């Protein structure tokens, strides 16, 4: 699990994907705001390593509780929980 931000961004806090996911943990805006990260013209907390790591931890815990498996939680983190739900896989 420690390698998740390496895979997502290479630990680059300024990483930005074509899907507009930002930061080491590659949060899209909707998910970032859902987990308490502030985003506006002046600041983007997705780039804050401490706040974004706490949000990612909370998100991963929620995904684990939803899917019952760390493997599925990490997969859902990468592609989104809706896509994993649509596959109908169980932990």
């Amino acid at each position: 699990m420690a390698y998740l931000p390496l895979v997502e961004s290479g630990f680059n806090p300024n990483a930005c994907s074509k899907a507009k996911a930002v930061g080491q943990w590659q949060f899209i805006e909707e998910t970032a705001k859902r987990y308490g990260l502030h985003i506006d013209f002046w600041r983007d907390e997705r780039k804050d390593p401490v706040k974004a790591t706490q949000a990612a931890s909370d998100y991963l815990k929620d995904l684990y509780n939803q899917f019952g498996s760390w493997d599925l939680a990490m997969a859902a983190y990468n592609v989104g929980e809706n896509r994993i739900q649509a596959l109908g896989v169980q932990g």
Side-chain angles (χ1 to χ4, degrees):
M1 193 163 312
Y3 292 108
L4 190 57
L6 175 65
V7 172
E8 290 289 333
S9 69
F11 289 106
N12 179 356
N14 295 310
C16 184
S17 74
K18 62 183 176 183
K20 296 190 170 78
V22 171
Q24 291 175 320
W25 291 98
Q26 290 291 283
F27 275 108
I28 60 170
E29 188 170 345
E30 176 187 341
T31 307
K33 288 182 176 180
R34 190 169 74 204
Y35 284 89
L37 298 176
H38 186 85
I39 301 165
D40 65 18
F41 180 80
W42 302 107
R43 65 181 169 161
D44 188 340
E45 290 182 342
R46 295 176 292 179
K47 295 179 181 182
D48 182 306
V50 174
K51 290 180 180 181
T53 298
Q54 182 60 57
S57 174
D58 292 343
Y59 185 32
L60 282 163
K61 283 187 266 185
D62 288 347
L63 291 170
Y64 175 79
N65 289 334
Q66 181 176 356
F67 294 108
S69 158
W70 285 113
D71 291 334
L72 290 175
M74 288 187 288
Y77 188 95
N78 185 262
V79 300
E81 63 263 30
N82 293 336
R83 189 171 296 172
I84 299 299
Q85 281 178 327
L87 295 173
V89 291
Q90 299 293 322

